[in-house]
Amino acid sequence: TAYEIVDCDWSSDVCSSDLEEVTPQDQLAGSTFAISWFTHRLNEVKGELDQQFKEFRLSEALKTIYSLIWDDFCSWYLEWVKPGPEQKMNRIVHEKTLDFFEELMQLLHPFMPFVTEEIFHQLRPRKDGEDLVIKPLTAPLPANQELLSQGLLLKKIGRAHV
């Protein structure tokens, strides 16, 4: 169903307001790769979506967004940034994760406007008139293909150990 696309494992660890200002360097280092990887993956997909929208391939655009949310964000990014047992989420990682989720809701908005608008308003306090429907899309930046390849390799290794 259409609702499943936003029903990823948005665990309490990620949504928690119990955040840590300072995190051990090794935890932040792992999150830094994840944040960089997802930033570039998001830019790569935005470029694909631009082309799909120009060619009116709306079904393919929705499949691309679905894959980005479910396969890349929920299955990989959230797992990579999730703190270990008994650790708190780093505030910087938490804020960046919310930024990503807002961008994902913006990409999904043309297909699910009411649900994405509601989620957008629940993520952070908003001013009157700060609505997803009028928020301009950010232009895609060039994606670092080497970093994306490293992410693919890490995903292959992760799948091999399951």
Side-chain angles (χ1 to χ4, degrees):
T1 65
Y3 177 72
E4 289 174 352
I5 201 163
V6 294
D7 188 27
C8 63
D9 183 19
W10 191 245
S11 69
S12 60
D13 288 337
V14 175
C15 291
S16 174
S17 60
D18 186 21
L19 303 173
E20 191 172 87
E21 288 293 339
V22 178
T23 303
Q25 234 12 65
D26 57 334
Q27 181 188 347
L28 192 55
S31 296
T32 301
F33 171 79
I35 290 168
S36 295
W37 172 80
F38 194 75
T39 298
H40 289 277
R41 180 68 182 122
L42 187 58
N43 280 314
E44 180 181 50
V45 167
K46 284 181 181 179
E48 293 171 17
L49 290 171
D50 279 351
Q51 190 60 36
Q52 290 168 343
F53 284 132
K54 286 177 186 171
E55 297 171 0
F56 298 99
R57 297 183 317 185
L58 301 181
S59 179
E60 287 180 40
L62 183 56
K63 288 178 187 177
T64 300
I65 295 167
Y66 178 90
S67 179
L68 176 67
I69 293 171
W70 193 253
D71 298 336
D72 296 321
F73 183 75
C74 295
S75 293
W76 292 104
Y77 173 78
L78 289 180
E79 285 301 316
W80 289 340
V81 299
K82 183 170 59 175
E86 307 299 321
Q87 291 182 335
K88 295 179 181 179
M89 167 131 313
N90 177 279
R91 183 172 303 280
I92 295 166
V93 174
H94 181 263
E95 289 300 315
K96 192 60 185 168
T97 301
L98 288 178
D99 292 343
F100 287 146
F101 200 69
E102 284 181 4
E103 283 196 72
L104 294 172
M105 292 302 96
Q106 189 174 20
L107 293 176
L108 186 59
H109 189 74
F111 301 98
M112 297 176 60
F114 301 109
V115 172
T116 55
E117 191 73 54
E118 183 64 27
I119 292 170
F120 179 77
H121 283 275
Q122 295 297 321
L123 290 175
R124 293 183 171 133
R126 306 280 175 198
K127 297 176 186 170
D128 285 341
E130 188 180 354
D131 298 317
L132 195 54
V133 70
I134 59 173
K135 184 177 179 185
L137 285 170
T138 57
L141 299 171
N144 180 330
Q145 294 304 316
E146 183 178 335
L147 186 64
L148 292 174
S149 294
Q150 291 172 356
L152 282 174
L153 179 61
L154 189 56
K155 288 162 67 172
K156 280 184 182 180
I157 293 168
R159 285 187 191 112
H161 285 86
V162 174

